[in-house]
Amino acid sequence: NLDLEFLLLKLQQIIYSYYMNLKNFIRSIPDYPKKGILFRDITTLIKDENAFSKTINLIVEHSKKFDFTKVAAIESRGFVFASAVSYVLKKPLIMFRKKNKLPAEVHSVDFELEYGTATIEVHKDSINKNDSVLIIDDLIATGGTAEAAAKLVEISKGNVAAFIFVINLFDLGGSEKLKKKDYNVENLLDFPGH
């Protein structure tokens, strides 16, 4: 009887997950981190085990379109999704970190953000010649961070297989900018950025 109850509970979770709209799990916060920015918060998505599980499954499903040898994550919210995908797919995980966060020798790229400038880095020994890298992040806005991540892959003599973003702020143009540079881009959810 317990086995039947367990199976019914699992079936209920699967049905719930299938029909859930992930957009309902994204919280919008106006004027954060500064006035005029509409922040799309993924903490409300990852705190729900069914929504988080569905998100990871969708990323894995989208990733099947591409050949890649490594999964890369952009600091910091990208780590949440990419580490789970890396685990599921049994692929090495590479971390793109903010300046001065990695202890060994690094490649660095400076870039423009929607609200300032920044630098990201990768260990020089993380990506080998001819590695094909799937880059995952929670969100794409203007595309500056993603473009910098692609440059890090290319400086390391690797290739960008594709980008997968949970959220695309479509009116800020980052996703289209990457596509115009001949990168493969997949987005799970589209939201306006303002």
Side-chain angles (χ1 to χ4, degrees):
N1 195 18
L2 254 106
D3 286 341
L4 183 58
E5 286 178 27
F6 177 77
L7 287 174
L8 286 173
L9 179 63
K10 282 292 174 200
L11 183 60
Q12 184 180 24
Q13 288 174 335
I14 290 168
I15 292 168
Y16 173 71
S17 175
Y18 180 79
Y19 287 105
M20 79 171 51
N21 182 349
L22 292 177
K23 280 189 166 188
N24 296 334
F25 292 89
I26 304 299
R27 176 172 37 202
S28 298
I29 302 171
D31 298 323
Y32 182 85
K34 73 176 208 177
K35 193 161 181 56
I37 303 287
L38 181 56
F39 188 81
R40 302 300 180 164
D41 181 18
I42 54 100
T43 63
T44 45
L45 181 140
I46 63 176
K47 76 177 185 179
D48 182 286
E49 67 278 11
N50 293 310
F52 183 53
S53 179
K54 180 174 181 175
T55 303
I56 297 305
N57 290 338
L58 285 170
I59 294 171
V60 168
E61 202 55 42
H62 282 267
S63 77
K64 291 178 181 175
K65 299 176 185 177
F66 311 105
D67 267 341
F68 56 97
T69 56
K70 294 182 177 176
V71 174
I74 298 174
E75 186 166 335
S76 66
R77 293 177 303 272
F79 295 169
V80 174
F81 300 100
S83 60
V85 171
S86 173
Y87 175 78
V88 169
L89 297 176
K90 298 186 179 2
K91 302 272 187 184
L93 177 65
I94 305 305
M95 296 189 303
F96 295 122
R97 303 275 334 251
K98 293 175 183 165
K99 189 174 186 165
N100 298 322
K101 297 287 185 180
L102 293 169
E105 286 188 57
V106 295
H107 293 297
S108 297
V109 173
D110 299 324
F111 63 100
E112 297 288 322
L113 286 166
E114 311 77 85
Y115 43 84
T117 59
T119 302
I120 62 170
E121 300 178 329
V122 68
H123 275 140
K124 287 185 175 181
D125 62 359
S126 290
I127 300 167
N128 302 314
K129 186 177 182 182
N130 298 325
D131 272 341
S132 187
V133 182
L134 172 66
I135 301 173
I136 297 174
D137 203 2
D138 70 316
L139 181 141
I140 183 163
T142 61
T145 309
E147 223 179 334
K151 285 179 186 170
L152 286 174
V153 172
E154 291 157 1
I155 288 168
S156 302
K157 309 260 189 278
N159 304 303
V160 176
F163 289 92
I164 299 180
F165 300 99
V166 177
I167 298 170
N168 172 34
L169 300 181
F170 61 84
D171 56 338
L172 298 183
S175 189
E176 289 307 310
K177 183 172 154 185
L178 292 175
K179 288 177 184 177
K180 285 179 183 168
K181 293 185 179 229
D182 290 326
Y183 292 114
N184 296 309
V185 179
E186 298 283 323
N187 303 302
L188 302 188
L189 304 171
D190 286 318
F191 279 95
H194 296 100

